[in-house]
């Protein structure tokens, strides 16, 4: 296996870790408008209070890793997605400020709650828009982005933005099913079923839409014999869908969250199948965009030291704060 491919796998792992970990705590903000009482909102926020800022470590690793290992891809993707990525960062900042100020400035709790909702939905929507714009392809001339500031704006990118809001809503509600009890848990079970149905519809539409964005995508999914290699992905999605639905119907605690993550993982694998070996679709592949081999080898030493440390402290944090969040517990 080439070192360029190893770096592509490392970056894919970092991006997926961010999607899942920050996805469910952004999902709590997406569920917030449907949580009426302050008491329930306090519990919901306390379920992620010890971990939410640590979850965003993976965003830094993914962005920094792209800059260091694939500088050409970084220089092409960033100008193409300046607008949605800037909007996403503004949403994350607004959400982070609201998260902290809500507990310190109790006279303005409702204002900070609204800021938390707007920041969470905005950050998620523009993250999905950036993803959609990336999948539909970034035009290049030579070694540079060849488009305007609004190239990212399209029906497909807007749709993927909405789809991600529903998807993170599912992760957030299933997380709260796992972490809460009694009235809050029952409320989340109801919301989780609705977000599950909406997410499923969105996965289906995006899956049918994506192959028609580029002939290469269509060939990977529908030409023979390639279809035999990719067929397990939709089959596993169908099985995971049934399992997630059963877990929601049976009011299981942890299983809906686990199956929701598996649905995200399979969707992520489907995306990787569509764009591989390109790192900037439709024309810039991993090897063309990579830094010199000696640089990749040097950087890999650092990743092999620090990634296990991140995994250990992240796992330890989740272990320490495992189990149900009690109403009388507070982390602020």
């Amino acid at each position: 296996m080439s070192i360029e491919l190893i770096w592509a796998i490392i970056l894919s792992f970092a991006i997926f870790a961010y999607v899942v970990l920050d996805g469910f705590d952004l999902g709590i903000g997406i569920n917030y408008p449907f949580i009426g009482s302050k008491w329930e909102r306090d519990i919901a926020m306390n379920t992620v209070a010890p971990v939410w800022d640590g979850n965003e470590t993976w965003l830094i690793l993914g962005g920094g890793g792209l800059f260091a290992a694939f500088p050409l891809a970084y220089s092409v993707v960033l100008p193409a997605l300046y607008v949605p990525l800037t909007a996403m960062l503004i949403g994350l900042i607004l959400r982070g400020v609201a998260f902290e100020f809500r507990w310190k400035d109790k006279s303005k709790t409702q204002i900070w709650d609204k800021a938390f909702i707007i920041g969470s939905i905005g950050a998620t929507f523009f993250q999905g828009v950036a993803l959609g714009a990336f999948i539909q392809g970034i035009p290049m001339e030579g070694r540079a982005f060849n488009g305007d500031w609004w190239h990212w704006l399209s029906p497909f990118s807007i749709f993927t933005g909405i789809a991600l809001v529903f998807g993170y809503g599912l992760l957030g509600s299933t997380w709260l099913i796992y972490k809460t009890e009694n009235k809050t848990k029952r409320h989340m079970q109801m919301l989780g079923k609705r977000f599950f149905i909406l997410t499923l519809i969105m996965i289906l539409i995006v899956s049918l839409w994506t192959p028609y964005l580029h002939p290469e995508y269509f060939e990977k999914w529908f030409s023979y014999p390639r279809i035999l290699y990719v067929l397990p992905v939709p089959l596993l999605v169908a099985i995971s869908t049934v399992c997630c639905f059963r877990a929601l119907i049976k009011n299981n605690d942890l299983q809906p969250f686990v199956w929701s993550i598996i649905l995200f993982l399979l969707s992520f694998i489907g995306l990787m199948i569509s764009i591989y070996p390109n790192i900037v679709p439709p024309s810039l592949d991993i090897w063309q965009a990579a830094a010199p081999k000696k640089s990749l080898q040097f950087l890999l030493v650092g990743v092999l030291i620090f990634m296990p440390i991140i995994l250990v402290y992240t796992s330890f944090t989740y272990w320490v704060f495992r189990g149900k969040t009690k109403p009388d517990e507070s982390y602020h």
Side-chain angles (χ1 to χ4, degrees):
M1 184 183 294
S2 70
I3 192 164
E4 293 89 349
L5 193 55
I6 291 172
W7 264 103
I9 294 170
I10 290 170
L11 282 184
S12 300
F13 176 78
I15 292 169
F16 180 70
Y18 169 76
V19 166
V20 170
L21 295 178
D22 209 32
F24 76 75
D25 68 50
L26 283 166
I28 290 172
I30 294 167
N31 279 274
Y32 235 54
F34 309 104
I35 305 174
S37 71
K38 181 181 179 300
W39 182 75
E40 279 188 284
R41 288 185 171 191
D42 288 348
I43 296 174
M45 205 165 262
N46 271 327
T47 64
V48 290
V51 296
W52 74 274
D53 44 359
N55 291 343
E56 292 176 1
T57 303
W58 297 99
L59 178 64
I60 298 167
L61 183 61
L66 183 67
F67 172 75
F70 299 100
L72 179 56
Y74 185 88
S75 69
V76 172
V77 170
L78 212 61
L81 302 178
Y82 268 145
V83 176
L85 290 180
T86 302
M88 182 191 84
L89 291 175
I90 291 171
L92 289 175
I93 292 168
L94 178 63
R95 179 176 173 277
V97 170
F99 200 106
E100 298 297 338
F101 276 51
R102 182 181 186 275
W103 300 94
K104 302 296 181 186
D105 186 6
K106 294 187 182 299
S107 64
K108 297 183 178 63
T109 300
Q110 289 187 344
I111 294 174
W112 295 119
D113 279 355
K114 287 175 184 172
F116 184 66
I117 292 166
I118 293 169
S120 299
I121 295 176
T124 304
F125 173 74
F126 282 105
Q127 193 179 120
V129 167
L131 175 65
F134 175 77
I135 297 171
Q136 72 186 6
I138 296 175
M140 291 181 63
E141 183 173 339
R143 293 167 63 86
F145 168 59
N146 180 31
D148 58 36
W149 279 70
W150 301 101
H151 173 78
W152 55 272
L153 186 61
S154 70
F156 182 75
S157 65
I158 297 297
F159 190 85
T160 52
I162 297 169
L164 198 64
V165 171
F166 291 146
Y168 282 2
L170 174 65
L171 284 176
S173 57
T174 52
W175 167 260
L176 289 173
I177 290 171
Y178 167 57
K179 293 293 289 183
T180 61
E181 297 175 300
N182 304 322
K183 181 184 174 184
T184 308
K185 180 184 169 185
R186 290 193 294 274
H187 193 181
M188 289 303 119
Q189 285 168 334
M190 181 189 68
L191 286 175
K193 289 166 191 168
R194 293 177 182 177
F195 275 119
F196 170 74
I197 293 169
L198 290 169
T199 302
L200 202 61
I201 293 170
M202 291 294 168
I203 289 175
L204 182 63
I205 294 174
V206 171
S207 300
L208 293 174
W209 195 340
T210 301
Y212 290 93
L213 293 174
H214 291 289
E216 294 86 355
Y217 293 173
F218 188 89
E219 189 177 349
K220 284 176 183 173
W221 284 100
F222 296 114
S223 66
Y224 184 83
R226 289 185 176 184
I227 192 172
L228 298 177
Y229 297 106
V230 299
L231 195 58
V233 176
L235 290 176
L236 289 171
V237 169
I239 293 169
S240 303
T241 299
V242 173
C243 293
C244 189
F245 181 70
R246 286 185 61 185
L248 284 165
I249 292 295
K250 290 187 174 181
N251 297 330
N252 203 291
D253 273 5
L254 180 58
Q255 286 191 23
F257 183 59
V258 173
W259 285 112
S260 299
I261 292 174
I262 292 173
L263 275 174
F264 264 77
L265 175 62
L266 292 169
S267 300
F268 189 75
I269 291 172
L271 168 63
M272 293 295 106
I273 289 172
S274 293
I275 67 173
Y276 181 81
N278 292 322
I279 192 166
V280 181
S283 56
L284 184 65
D285 68 34
I286 293 167
W287 293 271
Q288 291 170 324
K293 284 186 185 296
K294 286 189 177 179
S295 298
L296 295 178
Q297 290 166 354
F298 175 77
L299 292 166
L300 188 60
V301 174
V303 168
L304 291 176
I305 293 171
F306 288 105
M307 186 174 272
I309 294 173
I310 297 171
L311 287 170
V312 168
Y313 81 64
T314 301
S315 304
F316 180 71
T317 304
Y318 278 87
W319 172 255
V320 169
F321 294 99
R322 67 189 182 280
K324 300 286 186 183
T325 302
K326 305 296 181 186
D328 56 345
E329 289 177 337
S330 176
Y331 301 108
H332 285 80

